[in-house]
Amino acid sequence: MAFEFILSSIEGAVGVITLNRPKVLNALSPELIGELGAALGEFEANPEVGAAVLTGGPRVFAAGADIGDMVERSPVDQLTRDQTGRWAPLTSFSKPLLAAVNGYALGGGCEIALMCDLIIAGDSARFGQPEINLGVIPGAGGTQRWPRTAGKYVAMEVNLTGAPISAQRAFQLGLVNKVVPAEVTIEVAKRLARRIAEKPPLALRLAKEAVNAALETPLQQGLAAERRSFYFLFATEDQKEGMRAFLEKRRGRFKGR
Ligand code: DAK
């Protein structure tokens, strides 16, 4: 599929999406978000893709939703444009999704990073929710995912002041997995994605689902769901292959079955 506002490619077992509106710091127009969803849909359907990397390129991740597109909108416009549906592929994507963040990840840009499963940050990365400066609040999870990750007080700070935090501070807060020199952010994320993509796909999928469920369910319910998925995986060829390969001292060859 040809895209106008993103670049999408498949490198081995890794799908790579680069947001591509550099003149407006990758501002997230509805069209861009639509293309992002479509590209993720292609990766979802392609069994060759084991994991995906989402980046904004070397300079900026995304400076948020397109303010020019939003300024004159009414509440009814907002409701009827099905924004939520447009953003949904980011959270329903079943394969591991890694964000490679350089420069600003602000507003919706930060929310996209927080929807990913792992975040590799360049030392230039800045994470923030500046919506307060525009007279609004985050609309894609900024008030909800920050407290779940960084705790109430940091969440209050970023949401009430609008000031971004550095990559290093984000790392200390557990918001990013790794901080690396900005020149290598994307390569480091791809390398990690390649390693993850070698794992058995069904186990990856259920592991991702289980970790995400932990944020939304009481412990006993989460443990029960984890157990069910654990038992289920014994119905897969990959479980037999993985355990046999271990015993035979060789690498497993996984098929996603
Ligand atoms: N939208 C449109 N254009 C933007 C933009 C944005 N978010 N951010 C930057 N640009 C444009 C600038 O207007 C400028 O365009 P020209 O003047 O060159 O034509 C160009 O990008 C370069 O920006 P600057 O000249 O401002 O560059 P600086 O380096 O000086 O500053 C900055 C960089 C990132 C600090 C600054 O651009 C900035 O503050 N940008 C706005 C950041 C912001 O407020 N973001 C939050 C937007 S609100 C929802 C889903 C999502 C959302 C809501 C609901 N649903 C599913 C319901 C999300 C909302 C938001 O993200």
Side-chain angles (χ1 to χ4, degrees), residues 21-28 33 59-60 62-70 78 82-87 104 106-111 115 128-131 133-134 136-141:
R21 293 185 78 203
K23 286 194 181 133
V24 286
L25 311 184
N26 294 333
L28 305 166
I33 295 294
R59 275 194 329 114
V60 65
D66 192 320
I67 300 170
D69 173 73
M70 286 187 295
Q78 291 289 10
D82 186 29
Q83 288 198 77
T84 307
R86 223 185 275 261
W87 286 67
Y104 290 114
L106 299 181
C110 185
E111 290 167 309
M115 289 177 200
Q129 302 294 157
E131 288 90 338
N133 300 324
L134 303 171
V136 291
I137 67 170

